[in-house]
Amino acid sequence: MITTLKIARVAGQGDGVAETDAGPVFAPLTLPGEMVRGEVVDGRMAAPEILEASPDRIAPVSPQYGDCGGCSLQHWASGPYLDWKRDQVIATLARERIETDVEATVAVPAGTRRRLALHARRLEDGRVVLGFKARKSWRLVEVSACPVADPRLVAAFPGLGRLAAAFLEHPKSAPTLHVTWTLDGLDVDVTGVERRSGGLSGDRQMQAIRTARETDIARLSLTGETLMMARQPRVLFGPATVALPAGGFLQAVPEAEAAMTARAVAAVKGAKKVADLFCGAGTFTFPLATVAGVLAADASAPGIAALKAAVGSAKGMKQITAEARDLFRRPLTPYDLKGCEAIVFDPPRAGAAEQTAQIAETKAAVVVGVSCNPQTFARDARVLIDAGFRLETVTPVDQFLWSAHVELVGVFRR
């Protein structure tokens, strides 16, 4: 049945919501106050027609918008869009009975994302295409332009398409090219290649290596194993130049990384020793080392090795000690953290429940939590607050532009 509804709000995943007697109805790509019409099936209006547009509606800038699943909020004006992200953080904290000062969302410009995960598929006509998954579907949307991405990544799409062909040897392979722009050019790590049939053949490996050289890729790796390296991909973390491990973690947008590290450094100033937990290859470690000695720990042995190797690349830093350690299975204890007057932790989306319980028992005066998941951050924050910390401030960061995703930095003090 065709129904006309008024959108009341935007939900956490970015869909508009109309409240009805039968329950909420979700309508993608809609805004509060809009009148929409369409068929409702199982509480969802899949293809809403906009009858009355919100004054906050703007023209999207991506040619794939509406089909590509990468951006769900490109039609929303910047001001209310950023306010909505802040409101999402406030609501998430409230569910854990947490009230604090939540600052305005830090915006990032378009065209600044240095990391993309490009899916590759071979069409029936034999052509290999790259793209992103469609909204709520496994279908691939071919992408030739992306306003979110660094233009240097977009310029590389044709060469990356040729490269992807080598990894489509097996019909069950569904390769994803994890592409990063570094100081030394493109770093490409490929996942999703069928392994049960023997993995990539020698001929296809040689084809991939040859294409990578022809397209001037700095390094090509397969699930973290280097196939070809013309130049060691490097990145800057504060004053240090770090050799990025193959397949290693890196914040997606340099401007977002800078905003988060600046707030972490400001919060720990005055401390003589700081712990940096879930440190990766040193995203926060090196900026923190400009103001205090740092104890760094992470489960990634290649990340810790890269961090240690980069210690000599910068001047003016305090002492850095680094350890490869699984902080989920073996969290650092209050004994391990003795002498750390401040602690910074930046865990994966699952949060850091085990490590947070240990942090709560330390004598640290300041804790900085960096998170890509407000839900698990709120859960961990409740543990610290119950142990006597006060959540002083939270800063949302819009690292993934025009998506429902929001990152944040929270500062706790005893």
Side-chain angles (χ1 to χ4, degrees):
M1 185 176 68
I2 303 299
T3 306
T4 299
L5 298 172
K6 184 174 184 178
I7 302 300
R9 58 188 173 86
V10 174
Q13 296 302 311
D15 289 343
V17 180
E19 302 293 350
T20 74
D21 293 341
V25 173
F26 295 85
L29 311 179
T30 60
L31 296 176
E34 293 188 328
M35 296 297 296
V36 301
R37 179 171 59 196
E39 183 178 9
V40 177
V41 178
D42 295 330
R44 185 169 183 82
M45 185 182 289
E49 176 190 358
I50 309 298
L51 301 178
E52 295 179 17
S54 165
D56 294 329
R57 179 173 285 276
I58 60 174
V61 294
S62 170
Q64 297 88 216
Y65 186 71
D67 192 18
C68 173
C71 294
S72 58
L73 295 166
Q74 209 176 94
H75 56 285
W76 207 352
S78 177
Y81 158 74
L82 293 172
D83 289 343
W84 173 80
K85 290 211 165 182
R86 176 178 181 269
D87 291 343
Q88 293 299 109
V89 172
I90 292 172
T92 301
L93 293 173
R95 287 193 283 273
E96 288 286 350
R97 311 178 314 283
I98 299 172
E99 293 185 6
T100 188
D101 175 29
V102 180
E103 297 181 342
T105 306
V106 175
V108 301
T112 56
R113 184 164 174 177
R114 65 183 170 190
R115 301 200 80 176
L116 292 176
L118 296 166
H119 302 284
R121 300 290 186 274
R122 190 184 300 279
L123 303 183
E124 291 183 1
D125 62 7
R127 189 167 59 97
V128 174
V129 298
L130 296 177
F132 304 115
K133 290 175 183 175
R135 292 176 54 80
K136 299 186 180 299
S137 171
W138 290 103
R139 179 174 58 84
L140 189 70
V141 177
E142 184 178 1
V143 174
S144 58
C146 179
V148 171
D150 187 310
R152 293 170 292 190
L153 287 181
V154 177
F157 283 2
L160 292 170
R162 293 192 297 274
L163 175 68
F167 297 94
L168 287 160
E169 180 178 23
H170 193 280
K172 290 187 177 181
S173 285
T176 299
L177 278 62
H178 303 271
V179 185
T180 304
W181 186 261
T182 72
L183 295 174
D184 304 277
L186 283 177
D187 185 21
V188 182
D189 183 52
V190 182
T191 61
V193 173
E194 170 67 21
R195 288 181 174 273
R196 291 183 180 180
S197 58
L200 202 63
S201 69
D203 287 346
R204 287 301 185 100
Q205 287 192 33
M206 291 307 299
Q207 178 185 336
I209 292 168
R210 183 170 60 252
T211 306
R213 293 189 184 280
E214 291 170 354
T215 52
D216 195 33
I217 288 171
R219 178 174 59 192
L220 175 65
S221 56
L222 180 59
T223 320
E225 295 293 327
T226 299
L227 297 180
M228 183 281 299
M229 187 163 68
R231 300 174 300 280
Q232 169 64 61
R234 299 170 301 156
V235 291
L236 288 175
F237 291 150
T241 303
V242 181
L244 190 67
F249 174 78
L250 185 67
Q251 297 289 349
V253 178
E255 287 81 355
E257 179 185 287
M260 293 187 287
T261 55
R263 283 160 176 78
V265 170
V268 307
K269 276 187 177 177
K272 293 182 179 179
K273 185 178 180 181
V274 180
D276 179 17
L277 309 181
F278 307 96
C279 65
T283 303
F284 289 90
T285 303
F286 293 105
L288 291 169
T290 63
V291 298
V294 181
L295 168 63
D298 191 274
S300 170
I304 292 296
L307 190 160
K308 289 180 176 180
V311 168
S313 70
K315 297 180 180 179
M317 295 189 303
K318 310 291 185 181
Q319 182 178 1
I320 296 174
T321 304
E323 176 185 359
R325 178 163 171 163
D326 187 334
L327 297 177
F328 292 101
R329 296 182 178 182
R330 295 180 55 233
L332 291 181
T333 67
Y335 178 82
D336 298 318
L337 296 167
K338 186 177 181 180
C340 291
E341 299 164 335
I343 298 170
V344 176
F345 68 109
D346 179 18
R349 289 190 62 80
E354 298 83 358
Q355 185 60 73
T356 303
Q358 298 297 319
I359 293 173
E361 300 298 322
T362 69
K363 295 184 178 180
V366 179
V367 173
V368 179
V370 181
S371 177
C372 60
N373 186 341
Q375 286 78 21
T376 55
F377 172 84
R379 179 203 66 197
D380 295 343
R382 169 48 58 193
V383 173
L384 294 175
I385 291 169
D386 289 347
F389 284 91
R390 177 172 63 90
L391 181 53
E392 185 176 72
T393 184
V394 170
T395 306
V397 179
D398 187 25
Q399 175 150 229
F400 294 93
L401 184 61
W402 297 318
S403 77
H405 186 94
V406 59
E407 309 225 352
L408 59 83
V409 180
V411 178
F412 302 82
R413 296 188 191 274
R414 285 202 184 273

